[in-house]
Amino acid sequence: MNYNETEMPSQSEGNPVKTDPLSESIELIRSFALLEEDEDSMPVAQREIERAITIVEAVYAKLRLVPFFVVATRSGGVGVEYRIGGTEAYYHFDPFGDMDFSAIKGVELLKHIFFTNLDEAPKLLDGI
């Protein structure tokens, strides 16, 4: 196909890059390792990156959910948000060792739990 004298490949040509939301979330979390400390935030700890990826993969394997949002936190941790129906579910991985989960519907706090075992994390979404 020609457009303004430029040869354009047909849709059947080439090998298009395949992406999926799970891979995109994981790559975004991995990219937090490149962030540098500045006056507003600490660098993200590798342990928090690995813990967040473990949770994202486990939640996907169990529930086929991908994060709505992932973010590097100011303290050098990672935040992962899921939205299920009208509920927002948050995992927070803190560089001081804390891992916590909270679920909020509207303005009501449904659940707030500190956990230590990564295997527990997907179960925290049960009942939401």
Side-chain angles (χ1 to χ4, degrees):
M1 164 172 45
N2 285 324
Y3 183 76
N4 290 339
E5 305 294 326
T6 304
E7 185 69 28
M8 303 292 289
S10 74
Q11 295 215 354
S12 62
E13 289 180 38
N15 189 5
V17 175
K18 293 184 180 181
T19 61
D20 63 83
L22 180 63
S23 295
E24 290 173 6
S25 294
I26 290 170
E27 288 307 311
L28 178 57
I29 294 168
R30 282 190 177 122
S31 75
F32 296 160
L34 303 174
L35 298 175
E36 295 181 9
E37 183 175 355
D38 64 20
E39 63 274 357
D40 293 325
S41 61
M42 300 293 294
V44 178
Q46 187 62 39
R47 180 182 73 168
E48 307 329 309
I49 290 169
E50 294 305 320
R51 292 195 308 185
I53 290 170
T54 297
I55 297 306
V56 167
E57 291 174 334
V59 167
Y60 185 79
K62 182 178 182 201
L63 303 169
R64 293 293 185 238
L65 293 173
V66 294
F68 177 76
F69 189 71
V70 295
V71 64
T73 65
R74 293 172 58 122
S75 63
V78 177
V80 178
E81 177 185 344
Y82 288 91
R83 293 208 176 159
I84 304 168
T87 302
E88 298 170 356
Y90 302 95
Y91 291 95
H92 182 253
F93 306 95
D94 188 282
F96 303 106
D98 293 334
M99 296 186 292
D100 71 87
F101 172 84
S102 56
I104 301 168
K105 186 167 190 166
V107 294
E108 181 183 357
L109 178 64
L110 303 175
K111 212 184 260 191
H112 185 239
I113 298 170
F114 288 93
F115 61 101
T116 57
N117 184 345
L118 291 174
D119 294 332
E120 299 173 38
K123 296 173 191 164
L124 298 173
L125 291 172
D126 288 344
I128 293 179

